[in-house]
C-alpha cells in the first residue's frame, strides 16, 4: 500500500465542546459493531479512539469518506455535523498525528499520558476483530516506542497534571480549606481509580464512598484505599448525602439528573464523562457548582508551563521514530522484488555453469548465503535511495558475479 492511503478523521476539544463530542462518543458495543461492519465499507485495517476529548477513526482506505461513513453509522450525531467539525489528515500528516496524540502533545491537558492506555485498548480490540494488519501494527508499535522515550527522557508528562488531578485542583479551590466533606465517586474505571487515589493523596481524606455498576470493582478499590462502598441501588440516597460528587462513568445518558438536585444541600459536582453523565442543566441551580472536562482543562499552573518548554524535545523524538517507520515502509514495499532477487541469486549459484566458471573446486557445493544477502541489501539501499524502478536482476547479478570473481 501507499502511505497516502492511511487516514485519520476525527473531532476533538479544539473545535467542539463536551456536549458535541458526546454525540460522537463510541462505547464498547458501538465499537464492536464498527469493526464488524468495516469490511463492508472496503476497509482491511481500522481502529477507533474515543476518549473524553476526542473521537478519531484511523485506517487504510480508498478515501477518508469510507472512514467517516463507517464511524457515523454508529454515532448519535449526524454525519453532516461530523463533516462540518472534523479534521482529516492523510499520509505522513496522519502518521505524525498519531505520534503526537500518543505523546500527549494533542491532549486537552498537555502531556496527559492516560491517552496511551486508551489507545492500547482501542488497537487491541481492533486486533481481536482481525482489523489490524502489518502496517498498522508496525506503526502503532513504533508510536508506543516514541511515546515511552518521550515519557522517560523529557519532562512533557512531568508533574501532576491530568484530568483526574485537575478535578482535585478544582475541588480544593472550591473547598477553600474546608474539611470533613462527604465525597461520592461514581465509576471506578481507570479515571475513577486515578481520581480516588488523588483524593486520598492530595486532599488527605477517606470520607469517600464508591459506587460502581459492577460492585466487585468498587469493593476491590475500596479495600485497597480504605474507603467505603454502596450498591448502585442506593445512588439517589448517596447523591443527597454527598457534598462533593465525581462522576467517571461511560453511560450514554446522564446518571444524575437536575431533578435529583433541586432541593438538595449545596454541592460541588465534577463530570469526567463523555457524553455528559451529569445533567448539564444542574449548573443553573444556585446551590450547585458543576464542572466538566472542558472546564477542568482550563486550569493552568507552573507544571503546565514547564511541560510547554519540553515540546521541542518531544518533536525531535517523534521525527526520529517517524523516519524509522517510513524507512521500514519503503523497504517493505520492495519486499517482493528483493525476495525474487534473492531466490534468483540462490538458483544461479547452485547451477553447474556458475560453479564451474566462478568458484573453486573446494566450494563447489556451497551456497554463499552471506554474499547473497550482501547483494540483496545493496539492492534494497539502491531502490530506497533512487526511489525508481530499474532492472534490479541485472544489477544484482553483476554485483554478485563481481563478488564471486574477487
Amino acid at each position: 500500500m501507499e502511505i497516502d492511503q492511511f487516514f485519520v478523521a476525527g473531532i476533538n476539544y479544539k473545535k467542539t465542546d463536551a456536549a458535541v463530542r458526546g454525540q460522537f462518543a463510541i462505547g464498547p458495543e458501538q465499537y464492536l459493531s464498527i469493526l464488524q461492519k468495516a469490511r463492508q465499507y472496503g476497509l482491511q485495517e481500522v481502529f477507533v479512539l474515543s476518549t473524553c476529548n476526542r473521537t478519531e477513526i484511523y485506517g487504510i482506505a480508498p478515501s477518508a469518506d469510507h472512514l467517516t461513513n463507517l464511524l457515523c453509522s454508529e454515532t448519535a450525531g449526524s454525519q453532516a455535523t461530523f463533516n462540518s467539525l472534523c479534521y482529516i489528515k492523510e499520509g505522513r500528516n496522519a502518521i505524525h498525528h498519531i505520534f503526537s496524540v500518543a505523546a500527549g502533545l494533542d491532549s486537552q491537558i498537555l502531556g496527559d499520558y492516560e491517552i496511551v492506555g486508551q489507545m492500547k485498548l482501542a488497537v487491541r480490540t481492533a486486533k481481536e476483530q482481525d482489523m489490524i494488519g502489518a502496517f498498522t501494527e508496525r506503526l502503532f508499535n513504533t508510536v508506543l516506542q516514541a511515546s515511552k522515550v518521550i515519557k522517560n527522557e523529557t519532562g512533557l508528562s512531568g508533574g501532576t497534571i491530568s484530568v483526574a488531578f485537575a478535578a482535585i485542583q478544582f475541588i480544593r479551590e472550591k473547598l477553600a480549606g474546608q474539611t470533613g466533606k462527604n465525597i461520592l465517586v461514581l465509576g471506578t474505571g481507570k479515571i475513577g481509580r486515578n481520581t480516588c487515589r488523588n483524593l486520598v493523596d492530595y486532599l488527605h481524606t477517606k470520607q469517600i464512598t464508591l459506587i460502581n455498576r459492577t460492585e466487585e470493582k468498587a469493593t476491590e478499590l475500596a479495600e485497597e484505599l480504605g474507603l467505603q462502598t454502596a450498591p448502585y441501588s442506593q445512588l439517589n440516597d448517596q447523591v443527597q448525602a454527598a457534598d462533593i460528587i465525581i462522576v467517571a462513568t461511560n453511560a450514554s445518558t446522564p446518571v444524575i439528573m437536575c431533578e435529583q438536585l433541586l432541593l438538595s444541600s449545596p454541592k460541588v459536582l465534577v463530570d469526567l464523562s463523555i457524553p455528559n453523565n451529569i445533567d448539564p442543566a444542574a449548573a443553573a441551580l444556585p446551590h450547585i457548582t458543576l464542572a466538566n472536562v472542558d472546564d477542568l482543562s482550563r486550569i493552568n499552573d507552573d507544571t503546565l508551563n514547564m511541560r510547554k518548554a519540553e515540546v521541542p524535545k518531544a518533536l525531535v523524538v517523534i521525527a526520529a521514530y517517524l523516519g524509522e517507520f517510513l524507512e521500514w515502509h519503503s523497504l517493505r514495499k520492495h519486499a517482493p522484488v528483493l525476495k525474487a532477487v534473492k531466490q534468483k541469486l540462490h538458483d544461479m549459484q547452485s547451477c553447474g555453469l556458475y560453479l564451474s566458471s566462478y568458484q573453486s573446486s573446494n566450494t563447489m557445493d556451497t551456497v554463499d548465503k552471506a554474499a547473497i544477502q550482501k547483494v540483496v541489501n545493496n539492492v534494497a539501499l539502491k531502490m530506497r535511495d533512487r526511489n525508481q524502478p530499474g532492472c534490479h536482476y541485472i544489477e544484482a547479478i553483476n554485483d554478485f558475479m563481481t563478488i564471486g570473481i574477487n
Side-chain angles (χ1 to χ4, degrees), residues 45-93:
E45 299 190 35
V46 65
F47 72 91
V48 176
L49 179 64
S50 184
T51 72
C52 63
N53 50 38
R54 74 183 62 246
T55 294
E56 297 178 332
I57 182 166
Y58 295 82
I60 297 171
S63 72
D65 288 344
H66 290 70
L67 296 174
T68 57
N69 292 345
L70 173 60
L71 176 69
C72 292
S73 71
E74 290 291 330
T75 60
S78 70
Q79 184 160 356
T81 300
F82 185 86
N83 289 342
S84 68
L85 296 170
C86 77
Y87 44 86
I88 294 174
K89 301 176 187 292
E90 66 177 291
R92 293 190 180 207
N93 289 334

